[in-house]
C-alpha cells in the first residue's frame, strides 16, 4: 500500500509539472451585467433543455462494437502474439493476455473508469475524480449520450484491456508473471487512465483540439512507448540476436491478425458511439487503410528481401489498422489510402532496419508497429482531415499547419509522459520483486517454468 501511495503521489506531481506549461484554459469569466438591461420578468424564457433519450439503434450498435473490441484481445491479439513466439512460450503469451483482460476489467470498474471519465473538478484538465469509483452512480437507467452508461463504460473497458495487452509483444519470453501483473495494474491507473482523460474525458489535449478519434495516442503510441521502455529495462532475450527465434506457428498469427481486422470495425466505427454516417465512413476508411498497409508492407519486403512473407502481410495489416485509428472519424477514402501506404512502409522499416540499427529487443514489434504506426497516423490525421484530402474538414479558423501542430503536441505529450512514468514503474518493480525470469527459466521456457504446463503434448 505504501508503494502504491508513493507511486500515485509521484506520478500526480509529474503530471502537473509536465502539463502545466501546456494548459490551454478557456476564458470562463462571465460578461459584466448590463445595468440598463430589462427586468428579468420581461426577458424571454429560455427553451427547456431536452433530456437525453435512449436510442435503441445506437445502443444495439454499441453492444456489438463492445463485443468486437473484446474479441480483439481474446482471442485476436492473444493468437497473433502466441504464434510468433517459440513453442515453449506459447501458453505464457496466451496467459498474459487472458490475465490482463481479467485484471483490467476489475481495476477499470474500481478506479480506472472514474479517473478517465469522472469529473476532476479544479484538476479536470489533468485527472478525472473518484466520484464514479466502483461505478458509483452508474445505474440501469443512467445514460451517456443516447446509450446506457453501462454500455459506454464497458466499451471503454475493452480499450483499456487491449492497450496494456499490446505491451506484451515487447517483453515476450522473459518477464516474470507476477511482475507483469504489478506493472500492468499500476500502468493502467497511472498512465493509461490519465492520458485517456486528457484526450477523451474533458482533459487539456482534447480541449486544445488534438484529433484522436479512436486511440492513436491513447492506445497505440501509449502502449508502443511503454513496450519500448519495457524492452530496454528488461534487456535482450538470451541469445538475441545471434540465435534464430522464428515464429513457431504462423497459422495462429494469421488467424489472430484476421480477428483483429474484423474486431477493429468495432474499435473505430464504434468510437462514433452512434450508428450514423460517421460510423459508416470510419468503417470504410478502416478497410481501405488496412488493405493499403498490408500491400505496402508486402511489396516493401518483397523488394528488400526478395520474397513476400505471410508474417509481413499480416503485420502490415495491423500497422494499417493502427495508423487509421486516430483519423477514422475525420479522414476520407483518399486520406485512408495515404495513411495506410505510409504506415505499411514506415512500420516495415521500423520493425526491421531500425530495430537492427539500434539493437533493442522488441520481441514481437509492439513498438515498431504500434508506436511508429500510431505516430504516423496521428500526424497524418492533421493533414487528412482537410477537405482537400476528402476529410471532414478543419475546424473554423484552424489551418492545416495549426492542426498538425496540435497533433505534434499530442504525440510528444504522450511519448514523454508514458516513457518517463513507465520507466519509473519498471525500475521500482524491479527493485522490489524483480522483473525478469532466471536464465534457467528462460532456457526452459515460460510455459513450464511459470505455469507448469506445455502448449503441446505430442
Amino acid at each position: 500500500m505504501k508503494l502504491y501511495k508513493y507511486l500515485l503521489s509521484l506520478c500526480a506531481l509529474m503530471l502537473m509539472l509536465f502539463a502545466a506549461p501546456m494548459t490551454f484554459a478557456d476564458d470562463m469569466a462571465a460578461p459584466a451585467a448590463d445595468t440598463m438591461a430589462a427586468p428579468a420578468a420581461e426577458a424571454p424564457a429560455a427553451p427547456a433543455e431536452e433530456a437525453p433519450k435512449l436510442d435503441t439503434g445506437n445502443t444495439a450498435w454499441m453492444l456489438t462494437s463492445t463485443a468486437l473490441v473484446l474479441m480483439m484481445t481474446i482471442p485476436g491479439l492473444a493468437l497473433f502474439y502466441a504464434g510468433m513466439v517459440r513453442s515453449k512460450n506459447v501458453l505464457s503469451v496466451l496467459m498474459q493476455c487472458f490475465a490482463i483482460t481479467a485484471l483490467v476489467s476489475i481495476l477499470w470498474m474500481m478506479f480506472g473508469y472514474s479517473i478517465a471519465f469522472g469529473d476532476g473538478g479544479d484538476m479536470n484538465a489533468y485527472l478525472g475524480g473518484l466520484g464514479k469509483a466502483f461505478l458509483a452512480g452508474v445505474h440501469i437507467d443512467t445514460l451517456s449520450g443516447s446509450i446506457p452508461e453501462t454500455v459506454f463504460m464497458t466499451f471503454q473497458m475493452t480499450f483499456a484491456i487491449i492497450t496494456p495487452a499490446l505491451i506484451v509483444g515487447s517483453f515476450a519470453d522473459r518477464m516474470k508473471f507476477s511482475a507483469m501483473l504489478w506493472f500492468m495494474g499500476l500502468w493502467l491507473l497511472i498512465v493509461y487512465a490519465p492520458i485517456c482523460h486528457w484526450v477523451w474525458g474533458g482533459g487539456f489535449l482534447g480541449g486544445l483540439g488534438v484529433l484522436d478519434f479512436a486511440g492513436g495516442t491513447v492506445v497505440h503510441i501509449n502502449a508502443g512507448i511503454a513496450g519500448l521502455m519495457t524492452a530496454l529495462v528488461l534487456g535482450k532475450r538470451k541469445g538475441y540476436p545471434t540465435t534464430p527465434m522464428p515464429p513457431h506457428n504462423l497459422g495462429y498469427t494469421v488467424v489472430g491478425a484476421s480477428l483483429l481486422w474484423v474486431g477493429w470495425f468495432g474499435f473505430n466505427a464504434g468510437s462514433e458511439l452512434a450508428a450514423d454516417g460517421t460510423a459508416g465512413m470510419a468503417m470504410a476508411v478502416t478497410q481501405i487503410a488496412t488493405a493499403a498497409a498490408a500491400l505496402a508492407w508486402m511489396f516493401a519486403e518483397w523488394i528488400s528481401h526478395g520474397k513476400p512473407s505471410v508474417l509481413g502481410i499480416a503485420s502490415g495489416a495491423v500497422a494499417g489498422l493502427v495508423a487509421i485509428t486516430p483519423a477514422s472519424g475525420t479522414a476520407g477514402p483518399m486520406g485512408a489510402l495515404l495513411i495506410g501506404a505510409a504506415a505499411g512502409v514506415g512500420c516495415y522499416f521500423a520493425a526491421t532496419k531500425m530495430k537492427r540499427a539500434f539493437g533493442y529487443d522488441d520481441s514481437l514489434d509492439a513498438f515498431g508497429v504500434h508506436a511508429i504506426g500510431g505516430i504516423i497516423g496521428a500526424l497524418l490525421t492533421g493533414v487528412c482531415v482537410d477537405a482537400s484530402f476528402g476529410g471532414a474538414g478543419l475546424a473554423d479558423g484552424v489551418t492545416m499547419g495549426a492542426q498538425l501542430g496540435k497533433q505534434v503536441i499530442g504525440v510528444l505529450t504522450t511519448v514523454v509522459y508514458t516513457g518517463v512514468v513507465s520507466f519509473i514503474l519498471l525500475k521500482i518493480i524491479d527493485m522490489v520483486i524483480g522483473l525478469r525470469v532466471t536464465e534457467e527459466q528462460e532456457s526452459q521456457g515460460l510455459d513450464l517454468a511459470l505455469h507448469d504446463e506445455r502448449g503441446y503434448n505430442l
Side-chain angles (χ1 to χ4, degrees):
M1 181 59 73
K2 288 183 179 179
L3 174 61
Y4 174 77
K5 288 181 179 178
Y6 170 75
L7 287 172
L8 196 58
S9 302
L10 177 64
C11 293
L13 178 62
M14 287 184 59
L15 174 61
M16 288 186 286
L17 290 175
F18 178 73
M22 302 171 64
T23 306
F24 299 89
D26 294 327
D27 182 7
M28 300 299 291
D34 186 353
T35 56
M36 302 299 293
E42 297 178 12
E49 212 173 288
E50 190 175 347
K53 293 181 180 178
L54 178 73
D55 187 297
T56 55
N58 292 344
T59 301
W61 167 235
M62 293 311 301
L63 288 166
T64 303
S65 294
T66 301
L68 286 170
V69 182
L70 180 60
M71 185 185 73
M72 290 169 62
T73 303
I74 50 171
L77 184 70
L79 285 171
F80 181 69
Y81 279 166
M84 287 195 278
V85 296
R86 290 166 288 179
S87 59
K88 62 183 179 180
N89 295 314
V90 59
L91 286 182
S92 71
V93 171
L94 293 169
M95 176 66 165
Q96 286 163 357
C97 291
F98 210 94
I100 287 170
T101 300
L103 176 67
V104 170
S105 297
I106 300 303
L107 291 177
W108 188 252
M109 181 274 291
M110 292 170 68
F111 302 112
Y113 177 66
S114 189
I115 295 170
F117 292 99
D119 183 359
D122 293 339
M123 288 294 295
N124 196 59
Y126 312 113
L127 287 172
L130 293 178
K132 291 183 180 291
F134 293 89
L135 301 187
V138 180
H139 305 299
I140 192 170
D141 55 352
T142 310
L143 296 181
S144 178
S146 63
I147 63 174
E149 188 174 7
T150 50
V151 177
F152 176 76
M153 183 278 301
T154 311
F155 180 68
Q156 291 297 335
M157 178 191 288
T158 61
F159 279 61
I161 287 168
I162 197 169
T163 307
L166 294 172
I167 305 172
V168 168
S170 286
F171 60 74
D173 297 357
R174 60 199 190 276
M175 192 172 192
K176 291 167 64 175
F177 186 69
S178 57
M180 185 277 298
L181 290 174
W182 273 106
F183 176 66
M184 294 304 182
L186 292 170
W187 189 88
L188 174 82
L189 299 177
I190 299 174
V191 179
Y192 177 82
I195 292 179
C196 181
H197 181 79
W198 298 350
V199 178
W200 295 332
F204 72 96
L205 289 181
L208 172 62
V210 174
L211 297 177
D212 185 2
F213 189 71
T217 50
V218 177
V219 175
H220 298 292
I221 299 174
N222 202 1
I225 296 298
L228 178 63
M229 292 298 105
T230 309
L232 293 175
V233 173
L234 275 169
K236 301 173 184 177
R237 287 168 290 177
K238 184 180 177 182
Y240 181 88
T242 55
T243 303
M245 301 179 185
H248 90 281
N249 192 328
L250 282 176
Y252 286 175
T253 297
V254 173
V255 171
S258 303
L259 289 167
L260 285 169
W261 191 333
V262 174
W264 224 283
F265 292 123
F267 199 77
N268 286 355
S271 291
E272 171 63 0
L273 305 178
D276 60 14
T278 299
M281 181 59 79
M283 176 172 281
V285 298
T286 297
Q287 182 71 12
I288 292 165
T290 305
L295 293 174
W297 184 307
M298 182 188 77
F299 285 119
E301 184 180 39
W302 203 339
I303 293 168
S304 177
H305 182 63
K307 295 180 181 178
S309 72
V310 174
L311 178 59
I313 195 170
S315 299
V318 175
L321 291 164
V322 168
I324 194 59
T325 292
S328 55
T330 54
M334 292 306 296
L337 197 63
L338 171 64
I339 290 170
V345 175
C347 292
Y348 167 70
F349 283 102
T352 55
K353 312 294 184 184
M354 189 171 82
K355 184 165 74 169
R356 291 193 199 108
F358 288 97
Y360 55 86
D361 185 10
D362 176 18
S363 307
L364 310 180
D365 297 313
F367 170 75
V369 171
H370 293 278
I372 300 302
I375 290 170
I376 291 170
L379 297 180
L380 287 179
T381 296
V383 175
C384 296
V385 65
D386 191 83
S388 63
F389 284 86
L394 293 157
D396 290 341
V398 178
T399 64
M400 186 188 294
Q403 186 60 55
L404 187 57
K406 297 173 190 289
Q407 299 304 109
V408 170
I409 291 173
V411 169
L412 291 179
T413 302
T414 304
V415 167
V416 173
Y417 181 75
T418 301
V420 171
V421 179
S422 298
F423 180 83
I424 292 171
L425 285 175
L426 288 162
K427 283 295 187 181
I428 292 174
I429 294 169
D430 194 25
M431 287 188 295
V432 176
I433 63 172
L435 284 173
R436 186 162 180 158
V437 297
T438 65
E439 283 195 16
E440 182 181 353
Q441 289 174 320
E442 189 173 346
S443 297
Q444 184 183 26
L446 303 191
D447 292 359
L448 275 174
L450 300 185
H451 306 294
D452 200 26
E453 295 172 299
R454 295 180 186 273
Y456 304 96
N457 291 299
L458 303 176

